Amino acid sequence: MKPAAGTRSGDGTEPDADQKINKRYVVALGGGMAVEWFDFSVYGLVAALLAPHFFPGDDPVASTLSALAVFAVGFVARPLAAVFFGPLADRIGHKKVLLASITAMAASTLMMGLLPTYDQIGVWAGVALVAARLIQGLSTGIEQAVGNAAALELAGPRNRGRFATTVSGSILQAGILLAALVCFLVSAVLGGEAMADWGWRVPFIIGGLAGLVIFYLRRSLPETGANAKAEAAPRSSADVWSELWRHRLGLLAVVFVVAGTQVANYAWTVGMPNMARSVFGEDPTQVFAVMTGLGCVMVAVGPLAGSLCDRYTNSKIFTLFRLGLVPTLFMVLLYQQPGIWTFAVVVLVGGILVSLNQVLFNYIISTLMPDSCRTTGVAIGYGLAMTVFGGTASYVLVWLQQQGAFWVFPVYGAALCIVSVVLYDAARRRGHVHIGQ
């Protein structure tokens, strides 16, 4: 019997290069990623609005910084997810882990939309908020790696770049776009005062309910990973860790590829909009409108970035986009006083290079790991980078602006980008780029 479209054949061989991908699988896999990042992004977008309800105080900037600190807490759980669930996914396959991740995300997001506030239960409101963020972090920590690995196996060998950047680039970014769009629409309908009072709960509830729909769709996904190619499956977790140690240079490259990407991404998508609202007092509806525009750019460039990789090789396109991000980071220095049009120009023009890097990095880091430890290696490298660099980027940006040292942020981000290029090239030269060369 011929295998289903987009799956491996029974002997573990690659799908035919011209084989069409089952669209239902694309929706189930990519839609799950979109919902995961919709839910995760909503918190960043409304952090300045929910902050007074959980961290009340006389200084709105201090409350926002507390809320952004909780945003960073969500990233702490990602390496933990990698350690516990990465080897499991590499051994038993991807489907069960993907179902578990979307369930956890739906439950924690609904919880955030229904939480009582500080006025109702005191400090326990903040504790519950942190707990929900930790569950979200566990979910996204494994979704990123397992989803990327599954996407590579559901694609044909000649279109992996385009397929991967569409599923884990454009479709994932569509979730982030929808987060901005939903926040904008809710704010426009309810008004700024109601949005700040209770309307910030609505996007969380929408995201949680959407996660339940994706759970149903994901039940139709074929198994990928160990169960689809049993002869290549690690026999124990020890085998996975041994393989990962042999590919430690690739793992280090994964960490810094993610770090350079996410410092820029979270500066643009979380740090700057929260700085615009809490520091410069910009209208939240206008800020959400600009962020929706940035989301459109990120969705649009996904297939383009992947197609360029398929045509010109990963290393050339990654290096070009990453070095282009270095001068882009210094555009944040243009926005140091109130002005929604300046904010829009920085976010949308600089966002082009930020977007190209953002839609590409998932594919690039997946190519740096072999099949035998891909989920674990990508999950750990991604989790470490997000905890140390990505999750703290928005806090660092706002804090440096408050300290009068705003110029330090682009220097910091540019240094990470340059290091990522050096490490990627070193890994490539030593044979640690396994796809796309």
Side-chain angles (χ1 to χ4, degrees):
M1 181 181 294
K2 186 177 179 178
T7 63
R8 290 175 179 269
S9 60
D11 62 359
T13 59
E14 299 284 355
D16 183 80
D18 297 321
Q19 194 173 32
K20 293 183 178 180
I21 301 298
N22 187 309
K23 293 181 180 179
R24 186 173 59 180
Y25 297 161
V26 174
V27 173
L29 180 61
M33 291 185 179
V35 168
E36 292 260 356
W37 267 262
F38 174 96
D39 295 347
F40 205 81
S41 299
V42 163
Y43 183 95
L45 288 167
V46 303
L49 301 178
L50 65 80
H53 298 284
F54 293 90
F55 310 103
D58 296 329
D59 184 355
V61 177
S63 294
T64 299
L65 286 173
S66 295
L68 289 176
V70 176
F71 183 76
V73 165
F75 294 92
V76 174
R78 295 190 181 191
L80 299 178
V83 170
F84 289 107
F85 297 108
L88 180 67
D90 279 325
R91 288 171 51 216
I92 70 170
H94 301 142
K95 183 176 179 178
K96 294 182 181 67
V97 180
L98 286 170
L99 287 171
S101 72
I102 196 65
T103 301
M105 179 58 80
S108 59
T109 303
L110 278 172
M111 175 181 172
M112 294 177 74
L114 301 172
L115 279 177
T117 64
Y118 183 91
D119 289 340
Q120 295 170 310
I121 61 172
V123 296
W124 289 107
V127 172
L129 185 65
V130 171
R133 284 295 296 172
L134 286 172
I135 295 172
Q136 282 192 327
L138 286 170
S139 177
T140 54
I142 198 60
E143 174 80 19
Q144 190 87 5
V146 179
N148 290 341
L152 287 180
E153 295 190 29
L154 290 172
R158 295 182 185 176
N159 64 1
R160 279 199 178 103
R162 182 167 57 87
F163 180 71
T165 56
T166 298
V167 171
S168 61
S170 286
I171 298 178
L172 185 154
Q173 293 303 323
I176 299 173
L177 167 61
L178 286 173
L181 180 59
V182 167
C183 288
F184 166 68
L185 291 176
V186 173
S187 181
V189 170
L190 298 178
E193 184 175 344
M195 186 69 180
D197 185 24
W198 59 270
W200 56 267
R201 295 180 181 273
V202 176
F204 287 118
I205 295 172
I206 292 173
L209 294 176
L212 300 179
V213 175
I214 294 298
F215 174 86
Y216 173 79
L217 293 176
R218 278 194 169 178
R219 296 188 306 167
S220 66
L221 281 173
E223 186 58 272
T224 51
N227 288 1
K229 43 180 179 176
E231 76 286 350
R235 289 172 292 181
S236 67
S237 294
D239 289 342
V240 176
W241 293 115
S242 178
E243 278 291 293
L244 187 59
W245 176 250
R246 284 197 289 271
H247 295 87
R248 55 192 179 274
L249 178 58
L251 176 61
L252 186 62
V254 168
V255 171
F256 280 89
V257 168
V258 176
T261 304
Q262 296 306 323
V263 164
N265 176 52
Y266 282 104
W268 255 251
T269 61
V270 178
M272 290 190 66
N274 277 286
M275 185 173 72
R277 291 193 295 268
S278 64
V279 178
F280 297 137
E282 308 285 10
D283 179 80
T285 303
Q286 293 179 336
V287 172
F288 287 138
V290 173
M291 299 312 298
T292 301
L294 177 61
C296 291
V297 175
M298 288 192 174
V299 171
V301 300
L304 170 64
S307 296
L308 289 172
C309 285
D310 290 332
R311 182 172 182 179
Y312 296 109
T313 75
N314 300 342
S315 58
K316 292 179 181 178
I317 300 305
F318 167 73
T319 302
L320 176 65
F321 289 170
R322 184 50 54 95
L323 292 179
L325 191 57
V326 172
T328 300
L329 283 160
F330 286 86
M331 288 189 67
V332 299
L333 299 179
L334 298 175
Y335 185 57
Q336 299 195 55
Q337 60 184 2
I340 192 64
W341 288 109
T342 303
F343 172 77
V345 168
V346 172
V347 167
L348 297 178
V349 176
I352 295 173
L353 261 298
V354 175
S355 298
L356 287 168
N357 280 271
Q358 177 67 7
V359 300
L360 187 62
F361 90 97
N362 276 318
Y363 174 52
I364 293 296
I365 62 176
S366 296
T367 67
L368 286 164
M369 289 285 114
D371 286 349
S372 55
C373 62
R374 177 166 290 138
T375 303
T376 304
V378 169
I380 287 178
Y382 175 81
L384 287 174
M386 295 301 284
T387 301
V388 177
F389 302 104
T392 59
S394 56
Y395 184 98
V396 170
L397 183 142
V398 176
W399 182 80
L400 286 171
Q401 195 279 337
Q402 286 295 97
Q403 301 303 310
F406 201 32
W407 63 270
V408 174
F409 186 85
V411 172
Y412 163 64
L416 289 175
C417 289
I418 293 170
V419 170
S420 71
V421 171
V422 172
L423 287 174
Y424 178 87
D425 187 63
R428 180 184 63 81
R429 291 176 182 276
R430 297 189 186 183
H432 291 296
V433 174
H434 301 275
I435 297 171
Q437 289 303 107

